[in-house]
């Protein structure tokens, strides 16, 4: 028995793509998708925007956002495992970052930023929410109530 030779059929189509045409088509399609997606997100944000949005880029908005983060921060969950601990850790950090941003742009928010920073500095020293840390957090929350 003789081994069978592979068939050598010639292509029947005479249409040839130019080199790079397929790559260009894929790149242009991806680019168009990104542009349309960004436009859609922008439209969605514009339709859902409200006047109290913390994203308006002002020091007052940063201070409000810091206070919102602090309001949602529960020191008892700071060392918890899983999502509850992650939420607490991130809210505490967000309150500090946003209050520092507000204070950098407007000195009237300096007291808020300092109270939160003092609480974090003390917490970093004692690794606990002792009376001093809680006092500074209470002061920050009191400042938030007056904003």
């Amino acid at each position: 028995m003789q081994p069978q030779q592979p068939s050598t059929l010639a292509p029947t189509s005479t249409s040839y793509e130019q080199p790079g045409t397929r790559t260009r088509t894929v790149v242009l399609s991806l680019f168009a998708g990104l542009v349309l997606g960004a436009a859609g997100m922008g439209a969605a944000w514009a339709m859902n925007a409200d006047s109290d949005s913390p994203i308006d880029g002002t020091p007052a908005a940063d201070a409000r956002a810091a206070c919102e983060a602090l309001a949602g921060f529960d020191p008892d969950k700071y060392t918890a495992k899983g999502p509850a601990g992650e939420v607490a850790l991130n809210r505490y950090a967000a309150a500090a970052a946003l209050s520092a941003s507000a204070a950098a742009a407007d000195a009237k928010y300096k007291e808020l930023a300092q109270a939160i920073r003092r609480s974090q500095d003390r917490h970093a020293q004692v690794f606990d929410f002792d009376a001093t840390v809680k006092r500074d957090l209470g002061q920050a929350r009191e400042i938030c109530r007056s904003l």
Side-chain angles (χ1 to χ4, degrees):
M1 197 180 226
Q2 260 185 336
Q4 209 173 17
Q5 295 288 329
S7 82
T8 55
L9 296 176
T12 58
S13 173
T14 57
S15 170
Y16 295 101
E17 284 188 29
Q18 292 181 354
T21 302
R22 186 173 210 182
T23 302
R24 183 174 46 222
T25 302
V26 170
V27 169
L28 288 174
S29 296
L30 287 172
F31 181 72
L34 287 172
V35 169
L36 291 173
M41 286 301 297
W45 282 340
M47 285 190 269
N48 291 324
D50 59 19
S51 61
D52 293 342
S53 174
I55 311 172
D56 67 6
T58 65
D62 285 347
R64 282 192 308 271
C67 289
E68 287 178 25
L70 193 57
F73 170 63
D74 183 356
D76 293 334
K77 294 182 180 175
Y78 189 81
T79 57
K81 301 275 189 242
E86 290 178 36
V87 167
L89 177 100
N90 287 311
R91 285 186 178 160
Y92 196 28
L98 288 162
S99 66
S101 176
D106 189 334
K108 74 179 180 180
Y109 300 112
K110 188 174 182 180
E111 188 180 358
L112 173 63
Q114 287 176 336
I116 295 172
R117 187 177 328 118
R118 276 193 314 271
S119 74
Q120 286 187 320
D121 289 346
R122 174 67 180 175
H123 181 265
Q125 291 172 355
V126 298
F127 301 105
D128 190 24
F129 288 92
D130 67 2
T132 304
V133 175
K134 288 180 180 180
R135 184 192 70 225
D136 289 331
L137 282 173
Q139 183 184 10
R141 288 184 167 127
E142 189 60 39
I143 294 167
C144 285
R145 282 189 278 279
S146 69
L147 291 181

